[in-house]
Amino acid sequence: MLKRMLLGESIVRRHSSRGFLKESIPRSVLERALALAQHAPSNSNIQPWRVAIVSGSARDRLSAALLRAASQGEPHIPPLPEAFRHHRSELGRALYGGVMGIPREDVEARRAAQLRNFDFFGAPTVAIIAMDRRLGPPDSLSVGMWLQIFLLALADEDVGSCVQVSVAGYPDILKAELGMSNDLDIICGVALGYPDPDYKGNSFRAIKEPFETVTKFIDT
């Protein structure tokens, strides 16, 4: 029971951090989380996740390249289907308009806030998550399970995180800057660091739907 309660606390406590201290994450902390994540289940034990952990000058070069690209055009990510777009709109209103106090009509301030994605919200460390392009949806599910363990293990060490689909919209830049194989599909980036307690955006918690809205019990 004690272990179950501690796991539950870690799951609830972890959230998307969007402002970080400059303090570096010790390599030992990252390695402990990576070692735990290797226990994730996968189809036929193929362990399809491929990960680049980026910090220091490499992180700064990557951010600069992404900011140049993002300043010239939107990332190449598939649009959300109409039935799901309201979630993004509600998130934007609550985060930017509510917690951060940026009026919807202040286009310049909103754009500046969005561009922070490509500086990884100031995080000192970035993880880029990829998978062999020959694999399919069941294997991406395995990558997701790996990522969840990784993030929870880091949260247990007080390391904050923010999963970023937006940076995956520039796969050519990521591969060129990090020397990643063209045989890989970039799934997402993750900003990693110790959350800045003074950054007001870090007080935001996205509202989750109750499990009853997405679950159906069938027993007869």
Side-chain angles (χ1 to χ4, degrees):
M1 178 62 72
L2 178 60
K3 289 183 178 179
R4 188 177 301 126
M5 288 175 64
L6 291 175
L7 174 60
E9 289 171 4
S10 294
I11 291 170
V12 172
R13 185 176 64 167
R14 199 221 69 82
H15 67 282
S16 295
S17 298
R18 295 178 175 85
F20 296 89
L21 302 174
K22 295 185 182 298
E23 180 183 353
S24 298
I25 306 170
R27 174 72 69 89
S28 60
V29 170
L30 293 167
E31 289 180 347
R32 282 196 294 271
L34 289 165
L36 281 173
Q38 283 301 118
H39 291 279
S42 61
N43 173 32
S44 300
N45 197 35
I46 66 172
Q47 303 161 72
W49 44 86
R50 297 293 180 268
V51 188
I53 304 292
V54 191
S55 59
S57 59
R59 175 255 183 242
D60 295 341
R61 288 194 302 273
L62 179 59
S63 174
L66 289 171
L67 282 168
R68 284 194 297 271
S71 297
Q72 297 169 7
E74 296 294 323
H76 305 291
I77 54 177
L80 284 175
E82 181 65 35
F84 296 91
R85 290 178 191 169
H86 69 96
H87 291 290
R88 178 176 288 168
S89 298
E90 291 164 4
L91 181 70
R93 282 195 297 270
L95 176 60
Y96 296 124
V99 174
M100 298 183 67
I102 303 174
R104 184 173 181 82
E105 61 273 14
D106 192 341
V107 177
E108 185 175 341
R110 288 222 167 192
R111 180 59 176 160
Q114 291 166 357
L115 283 175
R116 293 184 68 249
N117 276 274
F118 305 102
D119 188 39
F120 310 108
F121 304 109
T125 301
V126 180
I128 303 298
I129 316 300
M131 182 182 77
D132 191 300
R133 63 173 61 240
R134 294 170 294 182
L135 299 175
D139 306 300
S140 62
L141 175 64
S142 297
V143 177
M145 289 188 283
W146 175 93
L147 180 57
Q148 178 75 312
I149 296 173
F150 180 55
L151 297 185
L152 288 176
L154 287 172
D156 199 46
E157 306 247 19
D158 297 321
V159 175
S161 61
C162 186
V163 177
Q164 298 178 271
V165 175
S166 55
V167 301
Y170 300 104
D172 293 342
I173 292 174
L174 294 172
K175 291 176 183 179
E177 289 291 330
L178 303 178
M180 301 178 76
S181 170
N182 284 327
D183 293 332
L184 296 175
D185 275 335
I186 306 295
I187 295 178
C188 67
V190 189
L192 299 170
Y194 295 103
D196 181 353
D198 295 327
Y199 182 71
K200 59 184 177 181
N202 282 344
S203 67
F204 177 73
R205 301 292 186 273
I207 297 174
K208 307 298 183 181
E209 294 184 356
F211 71 85
E212 291 88 351
T213 64
V214 297
T215 307
K216 182 179 181 180
F217 288 98
I218 304 171
D219 53 17
T220 59

